[in-house]
Amino acid sequence: MMQSFVARRLLLAANSLRTGRCFSQVAQKEASIQENGVPVPKMPSFDYSPPPYTGPSAEEVLAKRREYLSPSFFHFYSKPLNLVDGKMQYLFDENGRRYLDAFGGIATVCCGHCHPDVVDAIVNQTKRLQHSTVLYLNHAIADFAEALASKLPGNLKVVFFTNSGTEANELAMMIARLYTGCHDMVSLRNAYHGNAAGTMGATAQRIWKFNIVQSGVHHAMNPDPYRGMFGSDGEKYAKDVHDLIEFGTSGNVAGFISEAIQGVGGIVELAPGYLPAVYKTIKNAGGLCIADEVQAGFARTGSHFWGFEGHGVVPDIVTMAKGIGNGIPLGAVVTTPEIGEVLTRRSYFNTFGGNPVCTAAGHAVLRVIEKEKLQDNAFKVGSYLKQRLVELKDKHDIIGDVRGKGLMLGVELVTDRKLKTPAKAEILHVMDQMKELGVLIGKGGFYGNVFRITPPLCFTKEDADFLVDAMDYTMSKM
């Protein structure tokens, strides 16, 4: 088949010389239909061209990275991309080639790359005051804290700013332990909450855990509707938390931490009814409930501003990062005045937490989400995209599951639907080929076989079509 395709291309070239037609035009027309009859997907038009890039090449950057950066750093793709420009939902490489960003810097870029309102807030604040620490007064941190608190239910209105999601989760777990006087925490298997000492204990995937002391965390059965033994019966999974407390603790715990949708874990939605049942069990054991909204927060799920709201629960502590700053290093812990008071028992300080530039950016993000109705867009475009992916599942047996909400979607690839055998090698091939077509997508899950689709919330239906068409085209050629 490949030989016939090449032969036809050569014949087209010869004909173009005889007729005087441009070979590139003929080839472009030929490329619109491949051997299998599936049209080559076409990227949506976009009215922006980046300025010429004059910096080092991808090879030079990679060489420096290998020599001077930590060997723990890894990269996507057999031939890594050198990204030098970004605009809204698109990224550009050193040659000016445009890519659709369906990963959003790991669910971080919510408003869009280099959104002008966020950029202006950063630049204007930087011109006035770049750093001062919270030892002095500045309106940027206070204004943003007020705006952020207004987005949360109940009495969740005391904010402590951090620099990342890991820091936020570390602090939240410490607060729970201080407030309750207990050490034991409950987390979920397959969870990811960060890579510092405490959060690594709450994380429950061996690939993210080093052999260091990680005490006091009990990992409950994951309420995974696709791979879990109880399917979508959340209350059956919740009983495991009750049993963990009964048999593995003194009967009292510091708290429970979970995402509403597991991000690194492979966009796993918690089974319906699970969180209300677990929150009740934790409360009965004297613990606090922590909602990790690092990836699901800031309108990404579409139906709600926060992921936990989709489960009808109100946590005692909420942690956040990533989308909070659209790419600026920023995180936060929000809790009640009563619980927040525990940090006054000693001196607790964060030099860069609440930096005026970062908090100005965060405030701008909230304004953009409201002004551009990005939550509504995440719901509409995300629902459309999910439906298209479900239809693609009916076409390709390699797709075992499609899940998620809004613009936080997962596509799990398997080589056997009945056995749910992870398609570890196949996903790398599809991912690489989609990159060649101009689509950047993430991956994750315990087996590394789940596509993580977490684009900027300005994603359009045309972008969704291009993404699905690129996936369809690649899978059709396998």
mmCIF file with all atom_site columns, all heavy atoms in Angstrom, residues 317-341:
data_model
loop_
_atom_site.group_PDB
_atom_site.id
_atom_site.type_symbol
_atom_site.label_atom_id
_atom_site.label_alt_id
_atom_site.label_comp_id
_atom_site.label_asym_id
_atom_site.label_entity_id
_atom_site.label_seq_id
_atom_site.pdbx_PDB_ins_code
_atom_site.Cartn_x
_atom_site.Cartn_y
_atom_site.Cartn_z
_atom_site.occupancy
_atom_site.B_iso_or_equiv
_atom_site.pdbx_formal_charge
_atom_site.auth_seq_id
_atom_site.auth_comp_id
_atom_site.auth_asym_id
_atom_site.auth_atom_id
_atom_site.pdbx_PDB_model_num
ATOM 1   N N   . ILE A 1 317 ? -11.102 22.315 53.961 1.00 0.00 ? 317 ILE A N   1
ATOM 2   C CA  . ILE A 1 317 ? -9.929  22.964 53.383 1.00 0.00 ? 317 ILE A CA  1
ATOM 3   C C   . ILE A 1 317 ? -9.927  22.711 51.884 1.00 0.00 ? 317 ILE A C   1
ATOM 4   O O   . ILE A 1 317 ? -10.215 21.601 51.432 1.00 0.00 ? 317 ILE A O   1
ATOM 5   C CB  . ILE A 1 317 ? -8.621  22.420 53.990 1.00 0.00 ? 317 ILE A CB  1
ATOM 6   C CG1 . ILE A 1 317 ? -8.623  22.531 55.520 1.00 0.00 ? 317 ILE A CG1 1
ATOM 7   C CG2 . ILE A 1 317 ? -7.401  23.138 53.417 1.00 0.00 ? 317 ILE A CG2 1
ATOM 8   C CD1 . ILE A 1 317 ? -7.425  21.861 56.191 1.00 0.00 ? 317 ILE A CD1 1
ATOM 9   N N   . VAL A 1 318 ? -9.599  23.746 51.121 1.00 0.00 ? 318 VAL A N   1
ATOM 10  C CA  . VAL A 1 318 ? -9.482  23.607 49.669 1.00 0.00 ? 318 VAL A CA  1
ATOM 11  C C   . VAL A 1 318 ? -8.080  24.036 49.252 1.00 0.00 ? 318 VAL A C   1
ATOM 12  O O   . VAL A 1 318 ? -7.599  25.093 49.664 1.00 0.00 ? 318 VAL A O   1
ATOM 13  C CB  . VAL A 1 318 ? -10.526 24.462 48.919 1.00 0.00 ? 318 VAL A CB  1
ATOM 14  C CG1 . VAL A 1 318 ? -10.389 24.275 47.407 1.00 0.00 ? 318 VAL A CG1 1
ATOM 15  C CG2 . VAL A 1 318 ? -11.933 24.113 49.363 1.00 0.00 ? 318 VAL A CG2 1
ATOM 16  N N   . THR A 1 319 ? -7.427  23.195 48.458 1.00 0.00 ? 319 THR A N   1
ATOM 17  C CA  . THR A 1 319 ? -6.112  23.557 47.928 1.00 0.00 ? 319 THR A CA  1
ATOM 18  C C   . THR A 1 319 ? -6.219  23.801 46.436 1.00 0.00 ? 319 THR A C   1
ATOM 19  O O   . THR A 1 319 ? -7.047  23.189 45.753 1.00 0.00 ? 319 THR A O   1
ATOM 20  C CB  . THR A 1 319 ? -5.076  22.448 48.188 1.00 0.00 ? 319 THR A CB  1
ATOM 21  O OG1 . THR A 1 319 ? -5.476  21.248 47.514 1.00 0.00 ? 319 THR A OG1 1
ATOM 22  C CG2 . THR A 1 319 ? -4.943  22.183 49.678 1.00 0.00 ? 319 THR A CG2 1
ATOM 23  N N   . MET A 1 320 ? -5.368  24.687 45.928 1.00 0.00 ? 320 MET A N   1
ATOM 24  C CA  . MET A 1 320 ? -5.426  25.046 44.509 1.00 0.00 ? 320 MET A CA  1
ATOM 25  C C   . MET A 1 320 ? -4.081  25.520 44.016 1.00 0.00 ? 320 MET A C   1
ATOM 26  O O   . MET A 1 320 ? -3.228  25.948 44.787 1.00 0.00 ? 320 MET A O   1
ATOM 27  C CB  . MET A 1 320 ? -6.500  26.113 44.294 1.00 0.00 ? 320 MET A CB  1
ATOM 28  C CG  . MET A 1 320 ? -6.269  27.368 45.103 1.00 0.00 ? 320 MET A CG  1
ATOM 29  S SD  . MET A 1 320 ? -7.743  28.421 45.241 1.00 0.00 ? 320 MET A SD  1
ATOM 30  C CE  . MET A 1 320 ? -8.739  27.514 46.426 1.00 0.00 ? 320 MET A CE  1
ATOM 31  N N   . ALA A 1 321 ? -3.881  25.448 42.712 1.00 0.00 ? 321 ALA A N   1
ATOM 32  C CA  . ALA A 1 321 ? -2.678  25.938 42.052 1.00 0.00 ? 321 ALA A CA  1
ATOM 33  C C   . ALA A 1 321 ? -2.957  25.890 40.548 1.00 0.00 ? 321 ALA A C   1
ATOM 34  O O   . ALA A 1 321 ? -4.107  26.080 40.148 1.00 0.00 ? 321 ALA A O   1
ATOM 35  C CB  . ALA A 1 321 ? -1.452  25.107 42.430 1.00 0.00 ? 321 ALA A CB  1
ATOM 36  N N   . LYS A 1 322 ? -1.954  25.643 39.741 1.00 0.00 ? 322 LYS A N   1
ATOM 37  C CA  . LYS A 1 322 ? -2.076  25.519 38.285 1.00 0.00 ? 322 LYS A CA  1
ATOM 38  C C   . LYS A 1 322 ? -2.941  26.628 37.678 1.00 0.00 ? 322 LYS A C   1
ATOM 39  O O   . LYS A 1 322 ? -2.472  27.738 37.466 1.00 0.00 ? 322 LYS A O   1
ATOM 40  C CB  . LYS A 1 322 ? -2.565  24.125 37.903 1.00 0.00 ? 322 LYS A CB  1
ATOM 41  C CG  . LYS A 1 322 ? -1.542  23.037 38.224 1.00 0.00 ? 322 LYS A CG  1
ATOM 42  C CD  . LYS A 1 322 ? -1.928  21.697 37.655 1.00 0.00 ? 322 LYS A CD  1
ATOM 43  C CE  . LYS A 1 322 ? -0.925  20.607 38.004 1.00 0.00 ? 322 LYS A CE  1
ATOM 44  N NZ  . LYS A 1 322 ? 0.369   20.751 37.344 1.00 0.00 ? 322 LYS A NZ  1
ATOM 45  N N   . GLY A 1 323 ? -4.218  26.374 37.400 1.00 0.00 ? 323 GLY A N   1
ATOM 46  C CA  . GLY A 1 323 ? -5.061  27.352 36.728 1.00 0.00 ? 323 GLY A CA  1
ATOM 47  C C   . GLY A 1 323 ? -5.234  28.664 37.455 1.00 0.00 ? 323 GLY A C   1
ATOM 48  O O   . GLY A 1 323 ? -5.653  29.654 36.863 1.00 0.00 ? 323 GLY A O   1
ATOM 49  N N   . ILE A 1 324 ? -4.899  28.714 38.726 1.00 0.00 ? 324 ILE A N   1
ATOM 50  C CA  . ILE A 1 324 ? -5.075  29.930 39.522 1.00 0.00 ? 324 ILE A CA  1
ATOM 51  C C   . ILE A 1 324 ? -4.294  31.109 38.945 1.00 0.00 ? 324 ILE A C   1
ATOM 52  O O   . ILE A 1 324 ? -4.707  32.254 39.066 1.00 0.00 ? 324 ILE A O   1
ATOM 53  C CB  . ILE A 1 324 ? -4.648  29.687 40.986 1.00 0.00 ? 324 ILE A CB  1
ATOM 54  C CG1 . ILE A 1 324 ? -5.040  30.845 41.902 1.00 0.00 ? 324 ILE A CG1 1
ATOM 55  C CG2 . ILE A 1 324 ? -3.166  29.413 41.084 1.00 0.00 ? 324 ILE A CG2 1
ATOM 56  C CD1 . ILE A 1 324 ? -4.740  30.582 43.378 1.00 0.00 ? 324 ILE A CD1 1
ATOM 57  N N   . GLY A 1 325 ? -3.150  30.829 38.292 1.00 0.00 ? 325 GLY A N   1
ATOM 58  C CA  . GLY A 1 325 ? -2.307  31.913 37.792 1.00 0.00 ? 325 GLY A CA  1
ATOM 59  C C   . GLY A 1 325 ? -2.047  31.864 36.308 1.00 0.00 ? 325 GLY A C   1
ATOM 60  O O   . GLY A 1 325 ? -1.237  32.645 35.796 1.00 0.00 ? 325 GLY A O   1
ATOM 61  N N   . ASN A 1 326 ? -2.693  30.922 35.600 1.00 0.00 ? 326 ASN A N   1
ATOM 62  C CA  . ASN A 1 326 ? -2.527  30.812 34.151 1.00 0.00 ? 326 ASN A CA  1
ATOM 63  C C   . ASN A 1 326 ? -1.077  30.549 33.752 1.00 0.00 ? 326 ASN A C   1
ATOM 64  O O   . ASN A 1 326 ? -0.651  30.874 32.641 1.00 0.00 ? 326 ASN A O   1
ATOM 65  C CB  . ASN A 1 326 ? -3.032  32.074 33.445 1.00 0.00 ? 326 ASN A CB  1
ATOM 66  C CG  . ASN A 1 326 ? -3.406  31.838 31.990 1.00 0.00 ? 326 ASN A CG  1
ATOM 67  O OD1 . ASN A 1 326 ? -4.175  30.935 31.675 1.00 0.00 ? 326 ASN A OD1 1
ATOM 68  N ND2 . ASN A 1 326 ? -2.863  32.646 31.087 1.00 0.00 ? 326 ASN A ND2 1
ATOM 69  N N   . GLY A 1 327 ? -0.297  29.975 34.658 1.00 0.00 ? 327 GLY A N   1
ATOM 70  C CA  . GLY A 1 327 ? 1.099   29.686 34.366 1.00 0.00 ? 327 GLY A CA  1
ATOM 71  C C   . GLY A 1 327 ? 2.077   30.367 35.295 1.00 0.00 ? 327 GLY A C   1
ATOM 72  O O   . GLY A 1 327 ? 3.256   30.017 35.346 1.00 0.00 ? 327 GLY A O   1
ATOM 73  N N   . ILE A 1 328 ? 1.595   31.351 36.064 1.00 0.00 ? 328 ILE A N   1
ATOM 74  C CA  . ILE A 1 328 ? 2.432   32.009 37.065 1.00 0.00 ? 328 ILE A CA  1
ATOM 75  C C   . ILE A 1 328 ? 2.568   31.076 38.274 1.00 0.00 ? 328 ILE A C   1
ATOM 76  O O   . ILE A 1 328 ? 1.590   30.436 38.674 1.00 0.00 ? 328 ILE A O   1
ATOM 77  C CB  . ILE A 1 328 ? 1.787   33.354 37.497 1.00 0.00 ? 328 ILE A CB  1
ATOM 78  C CG1 . ILE A 1 328 ? 1.966   34.394 36.382 1.00 0.00 ? 328 ILE A CG1 1
ATOM 79  C CG2 . ILE A 1 328 ? 2.356   33.870 38.789 1.00 0.00 ? 328 ILE A CG2 1
ATOM 80  C CD1 . ILE A 1 328 ? 3.397   34.895 36.226 1.00 0.00 ? 328 ILE A CD1 1
ATOM 81  N N   . PRO A 1 329 ? 3.747   30.974 38.904 1.00 0.00 ? 329 PRO A N   1
ATOM 82  C CA  . PRO A 1 329 ? 3.895   30.115 40.093 1.00 0.00 ? 329 PRO A CA  1
ATOM 83  C C   . PRO A 1 329 ? 3.042   30.633 41.249 1.00 0.00 ? 329 PRO A C   1
ATOM 84  O O   . PRO A 1 329 ? 3.367   31.633 41.877 1.00 0.00 ? 329 PRO A O   1
ATOM 85  C CB  . PRO A 1 329 ? 5.386   30.218 40.429 1.00 0.00 ? 329 PRO A CB  1
ATOM 86  C CG  . PRO A 1 329 ? 6.037   30.773 39.218 1.00 0.00 ? 329 PRO A CG  1
ATOM 87  C CD  . PRO A 1 329 ? 5.020   31.608 38.526 1.00 0.00 ? 329 PRO A CD  1
ATOM 88  N N   . LEU A 1 330 ? 1.947   29.957 41.501 1.00 0.00 ? 330 LEU A N   1
ATOM 89  C CA  . LEU A 1 330 ? 0.993   30.424 42.504 1.00 0.00 ? 330 LEU A CA  1
ATOM 90  C C   . LEU A 1 330 ? 0.135   29.259 42.964 1.00 0.00 ? 330 LEU A C   1
ATOM 91  O O   . LEU A 1 330 ? -0.295  28.430 42.168 1.00 0.00 ? 330 LEU A O   1
ATOM 92  C CB  . LEU A 1 330 ? 0.104   31.526 41.895 1.00 0.00 ? 330 LEU A CB  1
ATOM 93  C CG  . LEU A 1 330 ? -0.960  32.164 42.777 1.00 0.00 ? 330 LEU A CG  1
ATOM 94  C CD1 . LEU A 1 330 ? -0.339  32.883 43.963 1.00 0.00 ? 330 LEU A CD1 1
ATOM 95  C CD2 . LEU A 1 330 ? -1.798  33.144 41.943 1.00 0.00 ? 330 LEU A CD2 1
ATOM 96  N N   . GLY A 1 331 ? -0.093  29.202 44.263 1.00 0.00 ? 331 GLY A N   1
ATOM 97  C CA  . GLY A 1 331 ? -0.989  28.215 44.835 1.00 0.00 ? 331 GLY A CA  1
ATOM 98  C C   . GLY A 1 331 ? -1.678  28.831 46.038 1.00 0.00 ? 331 GLY A C   1
ATOM 99  O O   . GLY A 1 331 ? -1.341  29.951 46.447 1.00 0.00 ? 331 GLY A O   1
ATOM 100 N N   . ALA A 1 332 ? -2.638  28.121 46.618 1.00 0.00 ? 332 ALA A N   1
ATOM 101 C CA  . ALA A 1 332 ? -3.336  28.672 47.780 1.00 0.00 ? 332 ALA A CA  1
ATOM 102 C C   . ALA A 1 332 ? -4.012  27.571 48.576 1.00 0.00 ? 332 ALA A C   1
ATOM 103 O O   . ALA A 1 332 ? -4.378  26.515 48.042 1.00 0.00 ? 332 ALA A O   1
ATOM 104 C CB  . ALA A 1 332 ? -4.373  29.703 47.349 1.00 0.00 ? 332 ALA A CB  1
ATOM 105 N N   . VAL A 1 333 ? -4.143  27.837 49.858 1.00 0.00 ? 333 VAL A N   1
ATOM 106 C CA  . VAL A 1 333 ? -4.944  27.015 50.762 1.00 0.00 ? 333 VAL A CA  1
ATOM 107 C C   . VAL A 1 333 ? -6.033  27.920 51.316 1.00 0.00 ? 333 VAL A C   1
ATOM 108 O O   . VAL A 1 333 ? -5.746  29.016 51.796 1.00 0.00 ? 333 VAL A O   1
ATOM 109 C CB  . VAL A 1 333 ? -4.093  26.469 51.926 1.00 0.00 ? 333 VAL A CB  1
ATOM 110 C CG1 . VAL A 1 333 ? -4.964  25.695 52.913 1.00 0.00 ? 333 VAL A CG1 1
ATOM 111 C CG2 . VAL A 1 333 ? -2.974  25.590 51.400 1.00 0.00 ? 333 VAL A CG2 1
ATOM 112 N N   . VAL A 1 334 ? -7.270  27.476 51.221 1.00 0.00 ? 334 VAL A N   1
ATOM 113 C CA  . VAL A 1 334 ? -8.401  28.259 51.737 1.00 0.00 ? 334 VAL A CA  1
ATOM 114 C C   . VAL A 1 334 ? -9.144  27.409 52.763 1.00 0.00 ? 334 VAL A C   1
ATOM 115 O O   . VAL A 1 334 ? -9.474  26.243 52.505 1.00 0.00 ? 334 VAL A O   1
ATOM 116 C CB  . VAL A 1 334 ? -9.362  28.696 50.619 1.00 0.00 ? 334 VAL A CB  1
ATOM 117 C CG1 . VAL A 1 334 ? -10.436 29.618 51.186 1.00 0.00 ? 334 VAL A CG1 1
ATOM 118 C CG2 . VAL A 1 334 ? -8.608  29.395 49.484 1.00 0.00 ? 334 VAL A CG2 1
ATOM 119 N N   . THR A 1 335 ? -9.397  27.995 53.917 1.00 0.00 ? 335 THR A N   1
ATOM 120 C CA  . THR A 1 335 ? -10.102 27.271 54.965 1.00 0.00 ? 335 THR A CA  1
ATOM 121 C C   . THR A 1 335 ? -10.962 28.241 55.766 1.00 0.00 ? 335 THR A C   1
ATOM 122 O O   . THR A 1 335 ? -11.153 29.397 55.366 1.00 0.00 ? 335 THR A O   1
ATOM 123 C CB  . THR A 1 335 ? -9.096  26.515 55.869 1.00 0.00 ? 335 THR A CB  1
ATOM 124 O OG1 . THR A 1 335 ? -9.821  25.670 56.767 1.00 0.00 ? 335 THR A OG1 1
ATOM 125 C CG2 . THR A 1 335 ? -8.207  27.467 56.652 1.00 0.00 ? 335 THR A CG2 1
ATOM 126 N N   . THR A 1 336 ? -11.471 27.791 56.887 1.00 0.00 ? 336 THR A N   1
ATOM 127 C CA  . THR A 1 336 ? -12.328 28.638 57.720 1.00 0.00 ? 336 THR A CA  1
ATOM 128 C C   . THR A 1 336 ? -11.471 29.424 58.718 1.00 0.00 ? 336 THR A C   1
ATOM 129 O O   . THR A 1 336 ? -10.332 29.030 59.017 1.00 0.00 ? 336 THR A O   1
ATOM 130 C CB  . THR A 1 336 ? -13.338 27.786 58.502 1.00 0.00 ? 336 THR A CB  1
ATOM 131 O OG1 . THR A 1 336 ? -12.623 26.972 59.442 1.00 0.00 ? 336 THR A OG1 1
ATOM 132 C CG2 . THR A 1 336 ? -14.144 26.891 57.557 1.00 0.00 ? 336 THR A CG2 1
ATOM 133 N N   . PRO A 1 337 ? -11.991 30.514 59.261 1.00 0.00 ? 337 PRO A N   1
ATOM 134 C CA  . PRO A 1 337 ? -11.233 31.279 60.265 1.00 0.00 ? 337 PRO A CA  1
ATOM 135 C C   . PRO A 1 337 ? -10.829 30.422 61.463 1.00 0.00 ? 337 PRO A C   1
ATOM 136 O O   . PRO A 1 337 ? -9.714  30.549 61.966 1.00 0.00 ? 337 PRO A O   1
ATOM 137 C CB  . PRO A 1 337 ? -12.207 32.385 60.670 1.00 0.00 ? 337 PRO A CB  1
ATOM 138 C CG  . PRO A 1 337 ? -13.086 32.572 59.476 1.00 0.00 ? 337 PRO A CG  1
ATOM 139 C CD  . PRO A 1 337 ? -13.259 31.201 58.900 1.00 0.00 ? 337 PRO A CD  1
ATOM 140 N N   . GLU A 1 338 ? -11.722 29.558 61.911 1.00 0.00 ? 338 GLU A N   1
ATOM 141 C CA  . GLU A 1 338 ? -11.430 28.723 63.069 1.00 0.00 ? 338 GLU A CA  1
ATOM 142 C C   . GLU A 1 338 ? -10.258 27.784 62.806 1.00 0.00 ? 338 GLU A C   1
ATOM 143 O O   . GLU A 1 338 ? -9.336  27.658 63.624 1.00 0.00 ? 338 GLU A O   1
ATOM 144 C CB  . GLU A 1 338 ? -12.670 27.911 63.455 1.00 0.00 ? 338 GLU A CB  1
ATOM 145 C CG  . GLU A 1 338 ? -12.453 27.011 64.664 1.00 0.00 ? 338 GLU A CG  1
ATOM 146 C CD  . GLU A 1 338 ? -13.634 26.097 64.941 1.00 0.00 ? 338 GLU A CD  1
ATOM 147 O OE1 . GLU A 1 338 ? -14.600 26.099 64.141 1.00 0.00 ? 338 GLU A OE1 1
ATOM 148 O OE2 . GLU A 1 338 ? -13.597 25.371 65.945 1.00 0.00 ? 338 GLU A OE2 1
ATOM 149 N N   . ILE A 1 339 ? -10.290 27.124 61.649 1.00 0.00 ? 339 ILE A N   1
ATOM 150 C CA  . ILE A 1 339 ? -9.216  26.184 61.319 1.00 0.00 ? 339 ILE A CA  1
ATOM 151 C C   . ILE A 1 339 ? -7.918  26.935 61.008 1.00 0.00 ? 339 ILE A C   1
ATOM 152 O O   . ILE A 1 339 ? -6.832  26.529 61.422 1.00 0.00 ? 339 ILE A O   1
ATOM 153 C CB  . ILE A 1 339 ? -9.624  25.292 60.132 1.00 0.00 ? 339 ILE A CB  1
ATOM 154 C CG1 . ILE A 1 339 ? -10.826 24.417 60.530 1.00 0.00 ? 339 ILE A CG1 1
ATOM 155 C CG2 . ILE A 1 339 ? -8.462  24.418 59.672 1.00 0.00 ? 339 ILE A CG2 1
ATOM 156 C CD1 . ILE A 1 339 ? -11.445 23.654 59.379 1.00 0.00 ? 339 ILE A CD1 1
ATOM 157 N N   . GLY A 1 340 ? -8.033  28.041 60.310 1.00 0.00 ? 340 GLY A N   1
ATOM 158 C CA  . GLY A 1 340 ? -6.852  28.812 59.944 1.00 0.00 ? 340 GLY A CA  1
ATOM 159 C C   . GLY A 1 340 ? -6.088  29.346 61.134 1.00 0.00 ? 340 GLY A C   1
ATOM 160 O O   . GLY A 1 340 ? -4.883  29.632 61.030 1.00 0.00 ? 340 GLY A O   1
ATOM 161 N N   . GLU A 1 341 ? -6.742  29.453 62.266 1.00 0.00 ? 341 GLU A N   1
ATOM 162 C CA  . GLU A 1 341 ? -6.112  30.000 63.468 1.00 0.00 ? 341 GLU A CA  1
ATOM 163 C C   . GLU A 1 341 ? -4.952  29.154 63.975 1.00 0.00 ? 341 GLU A C   1
ATOM 164 O O   . GLU A 1 341 ? -4.048  29.655 64.664 1.00 0.00 ? 341 GLU A O   1
ATOM 165 C CB  . GLU A 1 341 ? -7.180  30.139 64.564 1.00 0.00 ? 341 GLU A CB  1
ATOM 166 C CG  . GLU A 1 341 ? -6.714  30.833 65.846 1.00 0.00 ? 341 GLU A CG  1
ATOM 167 C CD  . GLU A 1 341 ? -6.068  29.875 66.836 1.00 0.00 ? 341 GLU A CD  1
ATOM 168 O OE1 . GLU A 1 341 ? -6.377  28.665 66.747 1.00 0.00 ? 341 GLU A OE1 1
ATOM 169 O OE2 . GLU A 1 341 ? -5.252  30.332 67.666 1.00 0.00 ? 341 GLU A OE2 1
#
